[in-house]
Amino acid sequence: MTDINSMSGRFSKGNAEILSDFNSSIRIDSRMYAEDIEGSLAHAKMLAKCGIISENDCEEITKGLVSIKEDIETGALEIDMSAEDIHMFIEAELTKRIGEPGKRLHTARSRNDQVATDIRLYLKKRAAGIIEGLFSFGNTLQNIFQQHTETVMPGYTHLQRAQPITFARHLQAYYHMFQRDIKRLENAVEIMDECPLGSGALAGTTYPIDREYTAELLGFSAPTQNTLDGVSDRDFCVEFACALSIIMTHLSRLSEEIILWSSWEFKFIDLDDAYSTGSSIMPQKKNPDVPELVRGKTGRVNGNLIALLTMLKGLPLAYNKDMQEDKEAIFDSFDTVEECINIFVPMLETMTVNKENMRNAAARGFINATDCADYLTKKGMPFRDAYKITGAIVAYCIENNCILEKLSIEKYKEFSEIFEEDVFKAIDLDECVKRRN
Ligand code: ARG
């Protein structure tokens, strides 16, 4: 395949094979073929509009690029994995197909502003896909929590039963996390919505180009403002990687809970057989592999974020080949998050919720003790005194293997004369939950 050396007059030999392999990014960036073609179509159109290439050349280039895209999509054209990158492959293929005009396409452009444009176009689309996925995730959560506004469960702090809540409220917490994740992605898209084309290699171009026009054709809100920044900015990769890491963090926390809830110790939920796996040796096992894998994959998405930050931190302006490493990391984060969302939705939709077990767990563990203390406080006792007396009642119950609801009013009165029959309503589980809505 054509390497730059063989295209250039500067070199007397082609690349050593080992260098070609090392240098090549096409296995990673071939997925940007459509964006590369989209960018080139706009660039050619602009060149013709500005009189830099002829209308005829532009037409040839356009036809050629459109046919390449079609052929890649139908499988008629196989992307050559020995090419240096997708940009070189498409340009070479274009010239092979249309000859002379193909060689004019790269006028007033560098691969540096070309690749910077392609990644932006590609990641914008991917971000839109994740946003859509998060919306459907949100809908799924909403459908589930609407069915559980009366499902009482223990709320935890320190993984110790703390106060009674509903399962709806618990899931709603995740719903809000994912709503924020959507905003984070939208914000990242807005910040990166500028077109680097025209930055050239680093110092712009001497041709009378129209950057506003190309930016508009490609759906960017404006051209980038500084040419060095245009080609060397990868902030958006970092920002997306960070937003994706936060999504994974949220998914991972939910995964952790699902793993706990599906254990024999909790038995709050059952995952559907279609979304669980067996053990090769222990016949009784039903394992929550899906949330475990999601929790595990969070590590590599976080790793990608650190890889990107580290790759950038020492780079002088403007483009450096180090930056070719951006794609593998950010693509992997997008792929992983998309995959995780896609499997999480049906897994949640098919899981069964064991209301009874949730309620039973809420009925033990004295999670209405705060309500008992509040009861005394509302009758005039200072909260600290009420807190201490309730603690003593709890200690008595633990010693006598009893729960607050089952103590007699006479017993309550031994702790404080303030207690009346209405204490039982005050500590009733459903009442406790309702009071907090
Ligand atoms: N494959 C390269 C990348 O992804 C394209 C840019 C190459 N530019 C250069 N000056 N070598 O970064």
Side-chain angles (χ1 to χ4, degrees):
M1 180 64 214
T2 18
D3 63 41
I4 292 272
N5 291 19
S6 56
M7 287 167 73
S8 150
R10 164 77 175 76
F11 292 86
S12 58
K13 346 174 152 161
N15 284 149
E17 202 178 318
I18 192 168
L19 168 60
S20 295
D21 291 344
F22 188 64
N23 209 22
S24 169
S25 58
I26 195 154
R27 275 177 205 287
I28 307 295
D29 59 35
S30 61
R31 56 160 86 191
M32 301 194 306
Y33 75 89
E35 290 72 25
D36 191 70
I37 290 173
E38 194 186 341
S40 290
L41 286 169
H43 181 66
K45 207 167 163 187
M46 181 279 292
L47 290 177
K49 176 179 171 271
C50 298
I52 301 165
I53 62 171
S54 69
E55 284 296 341
N56 191 50
D57 283 347
C58 176
E59 231 167 82
E60 290 297 306
I61 290 171
T62 304
K63 270 193 254 159
L65 288 171
V66 169
S67 74
I68 290 173
K69 182 161 186 247
E70 272 169 19
D71 290 352
I72 291 175
E73 271 153 18
T74 59
L77 173 64
E78 210 180 302
I79 296 177
D80 177 0
M81 289 300 157
S82 71
E84 187 179 326
D85 56 29
I86 191 63
H87 326 291
M88 297 307 298
F89 171 76
I90 290 174
E91 192 188 330
E93 179 64 28
L94 181 68
T95 304
K96 203 158 93 188
R97 292 189 181 199
I98 65 168
E100 193 72 16
K103 295 196 227 161
R104 295 190 201 278
L105 171 63
H106 212 51
T107 314
R109 187 176 74 172
S110 154
R111 256 192 309 162
N112 295 351
D113 54 354
Q114 184 180 1
V115 69
T117 306
D118 292 2
I119 319 171
R120 285 170 193 246
L121 287 171
Y122 178 79
L123 295 186
K124 256 170 101 173
K125 283 184 200 159
R126 293 301 304 269
I130 301 289
I131 289 170
E132 208 184 297
L134 287 175
F135 272 118
S136 83
F137 197 95
N139 288 339
T140 299
L141 285 175
Q142 230 164 0
N143 288 340
I144 300 173
F145 70 63
Q146 273 158 8
Q147 295 163 38
H148 293 287
T149 52
E150 313 264 295
T151 306
V152 175
M153 70 178 282
Y156 295 84
T157 62
H158 312 265
L159 200 58
Q160 303 288 325
R161 291 172 190 169
Q163 289 176 345
I165 54 168
T166 61
F167 190 46
R169 187 189 287 231
H170 197 110
L171 286 186
Q172 238 167 11
Y174 285 101
Y175 175 81
H176 289 291
M177 294 177 217
F178 294 117
Q179 293 307 108
R180 288 197 297 278
D181 291 334
I182 291 173
K183 279 197 205 156
R184 243 185 295 276
L185 285 170
E186 286 172 344
N187 189 47
V189 170
E190 196 187 317
I191 295 174
M192 60 89 85
D193 195 20
E194 291 178 343
C195 183
L197 277 182
S199 302
L202 77 161
T205 169
T206 53
Y207 294 90
I209 59 169
D210 184 346
R211 300 191 63 212
E212 272 75 21
Y213 184 62
T214 349
E216 196 192 312
L217 286 176
L218 292 172
F220 288 106
S221 58
T224 50
Q225 302 209 15
N226 176 283
T227 56
L228 284 90
D229 187 43
V231 290
S232 67
D233 168 23
R234 294 294 184 275
D235 293 3
F236 55 94
C237 293
V238 174
E239 226 175 342
F240 280 135
C242 182
L244 295 168
S245 260
I246 297 175
I247 295 171
M248 285 305 286
T249 302
H250 293 155
L251 284 175
S252 187
R253 292 181 78 175
L254 180 53
S255 293
E256 172 67 15
E257 302 218 80
I258 288 172
I259 294 161
L260 281 174
W261 293 340
S262 60
S263 70
W264 280 87
E265 283 69 17
F266 276 79
K267 274 190 160 296
F268 284 3
I269 56 145
D270 271 314
L271 292 179
D272 192 77
D273 281 0
Y275 293 95
S276 324
T277 46
S279 153
S280 60
I281 172 171
M282 297 165 281
Q284 84 284 11
K285 287 292 284 293
K286 181 172 154 182
N287 295 330
D289 285 20
V290 172
E292 287 174 301
L293 275 170
V294 171
R295 190 177 57 183
K297 284 173 190 288
T298 305
R300 61 191 257 200
V301 174
N302 290 351
N304 291 334
L305 171 62
I306 298 301
L308 285 165
L309 285 167
T310 313
M311 178 273 283
L312 280 175
K313 76 177 265 293
L315 293 189
L317 295 182
Y319 179 85
N320 300 269
K321 193 69 176 225
D322 315 45
M323 292 163 100
Q324 180 166 283
E325 290 289 308
D326 58 358
K327 287 169 231 55
E328 193 163 358
I330 191 61
F331 292 174
D332 183 67
S333 286
F334 269 103
D335 293 349
T336 307
V337 170
E338 191 172 275
E339 202 185 9
C340 290
I341 294 175
N342 285 347
I343 193 150
F344 232 86
V345 169
M347 181 193 73
L348 287 180
E349 278 168 353
T350 53
M351 94 187 167
T352 33
V353 178
N354 305 323
K355 297 185 192 183
E356 205 60 11
N357 291 345
M358 284 189 177
R359 198 188 166 84
N360 288 341
R364 284 184 285 269
F366 304 101
I367 64 178
N368 46 3
T370 315
D371 298 85
C372 182
D374 286 344
Y375 167 86
L376 292 172
T377 310
K378 281 172 194 161
K379 297 219 165 187
M381 187 182 281
F383 179 75
R384 276 296 161 222
D385 294 339
Y387 170 86
K388 191 162 184 190
I389 287 174
T390 309
I393 300 172
V394 169
Y396 173 87
C397 284
I398 293 171
E399 213 164 286
N400 293 280
N401 196 20
C402 186
I403 57 174
L404 293 179
E405 292 89 324
K406 293 283 191 276
L407 281 187
S408 66
I409 185 64
E410 289 72 31
K411 197 61 197 162
Y412 271 107
K413 281 190 178 291
E414 283 177 27
F415 287 95
S416 166
E417 274 304 323
I418 294 180
F419 282 116
E420 302 290 347
E421 277 293 336
D422 58 354
V423 66
F424 295 106
K425 188 166 161 39
I427 60 168
D428 176 78
L429 216 48
D430 295 296
E431 291 292 325
C432 295
V433 172
K434 265 191 223 136
R435 221 173 288 132
R436 289 188 170 82
N437 275 341

